[in-house]
Amino acid sequence: MPRGLFWRAFLIMLIPLILVQATVVYIFFERHWDTVSNQLALDVSGDVLSIMRMSEGVTDPAERARIDEIAQREMQFGVVFEDGAVLPDEAPRQSSGISYEMLRRQLDQRIGAPYHLDSTLPDKGMTIRVERADGVLTLLTTTRRMRESTTVLPFLWMAGMAILVTTIAVMFLRNQVRPIRRLAAAADALGKGRPVTDLKPSGASEVRLAGAAFLEMQGRIQRQIAQRTEMLAGVSHDLRTPLTRVRLQLAMLADAHPASRAEIGESEQDLQLMEHMIDEYMAFARGQGGEAPVSTDLAEIIDDVTADARDKGSPITLEVERPLVMALRPNAIRRCLTNLVENAVHHGAQVAISAVRRDDVVSVAIEDDGPGIPEDQREEVFKPFFRLDDARNPRTGGAGLGLAIARDVARGHGGDIRMSGGSLGGLRAELRLPV
Ligand SMILES: Nc1ncnc2c1ncn2[C@@H]1O[C@H](COP(=O)(O)OP(=O)(O)OP(=O)(O)O)[C@@H](O)[C@H]1O
Ligand SMILES: [Mg+2]
């Protein structure tokens, strides 16, 4: 069974059609052939018999010529008299087929004398030679008398009808399958974070229903994302004002109480961390919210992110296929890659970035020679605020949001991030994006 709907529907229609036609052809023609062949055999054998009766005992050449003339005119039979001859022992070749079979049967029954039937003569010639007491009577005619010319016509009709029906079916089926294909393409695009605007539900009512349901679902998803992003942005923004105030107050406090400077310094670091988190939130919210996917060269974004990291003094080796043009939200992807590269730079001394395109997937791998992540933690690190090393002071590190955001961006593009052990000895983070 073919896999596509088109060919399946096509076969579902075509197979019964062929079966019905074959059955009809078989039943009809079998009976038809029988009847027609029998009739033809009866005709020919009847004529043979008539000529035999007419010419029985006739020896006068003029009379014989008259018989030949009548036979030719009325029955398309030439008559040749061979006085004193006998039939050779060997029987001539004969055409096979149901009509000759029937003719032989008729001749056997009706003539009651030895005879030879030769239906393989050139130019469709056919002879029936009958042996009588006075010699051999040879009757010449053509095999046309054994065939019915109208037989092929119904066949042609049937074949024509089949072709017509098939053509119409193909045209209609195409139109039925197209909206389903469009719907599938739309769902695929939505999964890759490229909302669909030009889908119009069309086709059969069920497909239309599915199309409408899809559009509604897309609307709901978009509203939900927008709401979440707006809230995140709002909260983050509103937190900034009080934080700035606290920071100012802390600075004044430090001036007033030089003795508590150390404790106040710690609080200031906490504040810094909070601000860092808020910055990340805001950047993330901006990227997810307003940005629309545009055709972008991913290789250039990788170059930018790498250049930024190199500016901060980290050695990074690059191996990037170019160009890697695809529909992306550039700022969000930049954020995603920056987070991955920052982690690698933070944990390792050497970093290698590579990007290749395989079929429909672009894969960006970021490897480092750091301590890596134990296998059972490789999913955990994607959780917000999750930080691996308890001993690590949160004040010196990040918020634990980097990977959560990076994965969110990847999934928003229909892709994902996976962690594994790298060839440099540390972590290998692989970002995969569908093209
Ligand atoms: N390349 C890496 N090598 C080893 N451990 C890593 C690597 N990348 C991430 N991790 C671990 O995963 C944890 C989560 O990383 P994530 O980027 O989400 O947060 P963070 O880097 O601590 O903070 P943020 O990125 O928000 O500033 C890190 O705290 C670290 O323990
Ligand atoms: Mg990080």
Side-chain angles (χ1 to χ4, degrees):
M1 195 75 182
R3 308 182 86 185
L5 176 64
F6 176 81
W7 289 111
R8 282 187 183 200
F10 186 66
L11 282 191
I12 288 171
M13 187 221 70
L14 199 66
I15 287 174
L17 184 74
I18 289 176
L19 279 181
V20 166
Q21 285 216 349
T23 316
V24 166
V25 165
Y26 181 75
I27 293 174
F28 174 74
F29 279 103
E30 224 212 14
R31 301 212 46 208
H32 181 78
W33 268 116
D34 265 18
T35 322
V36 168
S37 304
N38 206 19
Q39 197 59 50
L40 289 171
L42 259 176
D43 277 3
V44 173
S45 62
D47 287 351
V48 170
L49 212 64
S50 305
I51 296 169
M52 278 174 65
R53 295 265 180 283
M54 270 198 294
S55 58
E56 197 131 44
V58 175
T59 48
D60 176 26
E63 188 66 6
R64 283 183 170 178
R66 210 179 62 85
I67 290 172
D68 180 38
E69 192 218 303
I70 292 173
Q72 288 207 22
R73 200 176 54 225
E74 309 293 345
M75 311 170 198
Q76 290 110 47
F77 265 110
V79 185
V80 178
F81 298 87
E82 298 169 70
D83 289 330
V86 288
L87 286 178
D89 285 345
E90 210 176 309
R93 285 183 302 131
Q94 289 172 22
S95 298
S96 56
I98 182 164
S99 40
Y100 293 103
E101 189 63 46
M102 287 187 167
L103 178 60
R104 256 190 317 272
R105 218 176 298 154
Q106 292 287 342
L107 292 173
D108 287 345
Q109 268 178 23
R110 300 174 77 175
I111 294 179
Y115 72 93
H116 277 177
L117 170 67
D118 187 351
S119 53
T120 60
L121 296 177
D123 294 330
K124 297 189 189 332
M126 178 168 98
T127 57
I128 297 162
R129 308 181 72 206
V130 186
E131 193 178 282
R132 298 196 292 202
D134 55 350
V136 171
L137 179 71
T138 300
L139 305 177
L140 298 137
T141 183
T142 70
T143 53
R144 262 190 285 278
R145 290 216 46 180
M146 298 304 298
R147 239 180 294 127
E148 197 219 1
S149 55
T150 56
T151 328
V152 284
L153 215 62
F155 268 119
L156 288 180
W157 263 102
M158 282 202 158
M161 285 300 283
I163 291 171
L164 188 72
V165 169
T166 309
T167 316
I168 293 175
V170 166
M171 271 158 46
F172 274 89
L173 279 176
R174 278 247 172 83
N175 287 338
Q176 296 309 306
V177 172
R178 205 173 298 135
I180 301 178
R181 285 241 175 82
R182 260 189 238 135
L183 187 58
D188 185 53
L190 179 66
K192 290 174 182 170
R194 300 162 199 166
V196 186
T197 49
D198 58 347
L199 180 75
K200 280 186 211 74
S202 62
S205 60
E206 289 87 349
V207 183
R208 240 173 242 258
L209 217 60
F214 171 82
L215 285 179
E216 226 164 87
M217 178 192 77
Q218 172 175 273
R220 274 200 300 272
I221 290 176
Q222 280 172 337
R223 277 195 298 279
Q224 214 168 336
I225 292 177
Q227 198 188 7
R228 191 192 67 164
T229 329
E230 265 170 39
M231 207 172 76
L232 216 59
V235 168
S236 306
H237 184 263
D238 290 354
L239 275 175
R240 270 177 164 272
T241 328
L243 275 180
T244 317
R245 253 203 316 267
V246 172
R247 186 201 275 282
L248 280 175
Q249 283 162 0
L250 276 179
M252 287 196 294
L253 218 73
D255 289 345
H257 304 275
S260 321
R261 188 148 272 172
E263 288 89 340
I264 292 172
E266 277 181 24
S267 299
E268 273 177 337
Q269 279 182 344
D270 280 341
L271 265 185
Q272 224 171 349
L273 178 62
M274 285 167 90
E275 275 171 349
H276 171 69
M277 283 162 66
I278 288 168
D279 282 348
E280 265 184 69
Y281 265 144
M282 299 261 295
F284 166 64
R286 263 200 304 277
Q288 283 297 83
E291 209 177 0
V294 287
S295 182
T296 318
D297 187 357
L298 182 63
E300 282 176 14
I301 298 184
I302 295 174
D303 285 347
D304 284 358
V305 171
T306 309
D308 283 350
R310 279 181 181 154
D311 283 351
K312 287 174 191 158
S314 313
I316 298 176
T317 58
L318 256 187
E319 200 175 310
V320 177
E321 197 182 302
R322 279 154 217 283
L324 293 168
V325 179
M326 52 199 292
L328 296 173
R329 297 185 178 86
N331 287 326
I333 287 290
R334 192 184 305 268
R335 177 104 217 127
C336 168
L337 285 171
T338 304
N339 287 355
L340 293 176
V341 172
E342 271 180 1
N343 281 354
V345 166
H346 185 77
H347 294 279
Q350 268 190 16
V351 176
I353 302 177
S354 61
V356 284
R357 178 183 173 154
R358 255 184 246 106
D359 298 329
D360 293 342
V361 178
V362 168
S363 154
V364 185
I366 294 132
E367 296 186 36
D368 63 62
D369 61 349
I373 300 177
E375 234 173 301
D376 57 335
Q377 303 277 349
R378 283 179 187 159
E379 272 303 304
E380 298 289 305
V381 290
F382 286 105
K383 290 182 177 160
F385 305 112
F386 183 90
R387 310 196 61 241
L388 201 59
D389 195 347
D390 296 333
R392 240 178 254 157
N393 186 348
R395 282 167 195 162
T396 59
L401 281 172
L403 287 177
I405 290 171
R407 174 169 262 185
D408 212 66
V409 170
R411 290 196 168 160
H413 285 78
D416 206 353
I417 299 175
R418 258 178 272 159
M419 300 298 193
S420 57
S423 56
L424 289 179
L427 186 75
R428 174 190 156 97
E430 188 189 10
L431 165 69
R432 290 165 68 88
L433 294 172
V435 176

